Amino acid sequence: AGMLTDLLLDGVIAGLGGIFVFIPQIAILFAFISILEDTGYMARVTFMMDKVMSKVGLNGKSVVPMIGGLACAVPSIMAARNIENWKDRMITIMVTPLVSCSARLPVYILIISLIIPSKTVLGIFNLQGLALMVMYLVGIVAAVLVAWVMKFIIKTKERSYFIMELPVYRMPRWKNVAYTMYEKSKTFVFEAGKVIIAISIILWVMASFGPGNRFESIDKKYESALADTTKNTDHIKTLVATEKLENSYVGLLGHAIEPAIRPLGYDWKIGIGLITSFAAREAFVGTMATIYSVDGGDEDTSTIRERMSASKNSRTGLPVYTFATGISLMLFYAFAMQCMSTVAIVYRETKGWKWPVIQLGYMTAMAYVAALIAYQLLK
């Protein structure tokens, strides 16, 4: 036990986990893309879709990254390499993270189960299921609208032409498929991986340390309780983790941004969740489990839901997770970047920090404005 072990486990290995978790997704996506290209089917799909996609500033080949974005933006942005035209490729990269990926799903499910009743409408549709479908549609519509706007903003002297020779149908070359899988996975690990590990370590430091002797005071506070074998030490350890998170640099930052996020209906606890979930969106659920002292962690979703539902605003005394706050929070996660892996891969694909910073900025602004409007209208 000690700082070095914590750094290796929660900083470095957690960062490596954030890299390796994408390898199967990247390998599988590029295997299918390679098969579609080798068989000659991809050329026909992109040809059919080009006329529709070009109206919003995209390319026929943008279909694959956009569909792949429903699973994960990281391999989808890498798949945009197949787009020859620079402007079309940049627009595709900039809007793909708006498509709701699988990492948003745990957040949507948690919030929908809090604010939307499980009722049947029109005899066959579940209201919670419809709400989830609407969130996916919101992401797709936002991606299309932003692409259309960027068509006029991003300038290039290069004209966009769609010229393609339609190859004959044939069996895929499996050696080529395997090589593509290997190369794409290796590129992600060694290029984007460096940025992911760096950000992961920074987030670990912010969540594991606090100013002054706050952590030592918390340890002393619970020292006798932890030594008492007649008590539930697991619950006490959970309380220690909760207090330490609140008094860490991340916790203090969550308190500091509360005035800025209060108009969205959020308190400092949600603020901490927004910061920690930059590592990965689904980390929001785990952070809520820690903040609300849930012994079972992020797997005990029913207890997390109960604690969040019972949470009261310290200033107003009213429930924190109202319908207005829930919709506001889901819209924030629908539009905000909140994913260090996506930032890293955009940096890798664009070979600089200009486009990742622009993307992070415009998506955060979109998320804030959408959440603000939703909360102010619904409260």
Side-chain angles (χ1 to χ4, degrees), residues 115-152:
I115 63 166
I116 306 291
S118 182
K119 291 182 179 178
T120 302
V121 291
L122 301 177
I124 54 171
F125 298 112
N126 181 275
L127 197 59
Q128 292 180 336
L130 287 174
L132 184 61
M133 186 186 74
V134 167
M135 293 313 301
Y136 273 89
L137 291 175
V138 163
I140 293 167
V141 170
V144 171
L145 290 175
V146 171
W148 179 75
V149 171
M150 285 189 173
K151 180 173 75 169
F152 302 103

Side-chain angles (χ1 to χ4, degrees), residues 179-242:
Y179 179 76
T180 303
M181 290 169 66
Y182 168 74
E183 279 297 312
K184 299 296 185 184
S185 301
K186 188 179 82 169
T187 300
F188 172 73
V189 169
F190 288 103
E191 298 295 335
K194 291 180 287 188
V195 179
I196 292 170
I197 285 183
I199 297 172
S200 178
I201 292 171
I202 291 167
L203 287 171
W204 171 79
V205 170
M206 291 178 67
S208 303
F209 296 93
N213 60 348
R214 294 182 181 217
F215 278 31
E216 288 82 354
S217 300
I218 293 167
D219 286 332
K220 285 181 181 177
K221 178 181 173 182
Y222 290 97
E223 190 175 11
S224 58
L226 285 168
D228 188 351
T229 54
T230 61
K231 292 184 178 179
N232 183 357
T233 54
D234 288 337
H235 180 64
I236 295 165
K237 286 176 183 176
T238 305
L239 293 175
V240 171
T242 301

Side-chain angles (χ1 to χ4, degrees), residues 293-325:
S293 305
V294 178
D295 293 340
D298 57 0
E299 293 180 7
D300 191 359
T301 51
S302 59
T303 306
I304 298 171
R305 196 160 50 242
E306 286 171 13
R307 299 273 171 90
M308 290 172 71
S309 182
S311 178
K312 295 285 192 292
N313 190 307
S314 58
R315 292 173 64 253
T316 62
L318 298 172
V320 174
Y321 294 93
T322 61
F323 178 77
T325 304

Side-chain angles (χ1 to χ4, degrees), residues 22 27 66 91 165 194 226 231 267 309:
F22 289 110
M66 297 285 279
I91 293 175
E165 179 185 353
K194 291 180 287 188
L226 285 168
K231 292 184 178 179
D267 61 1
S309 182

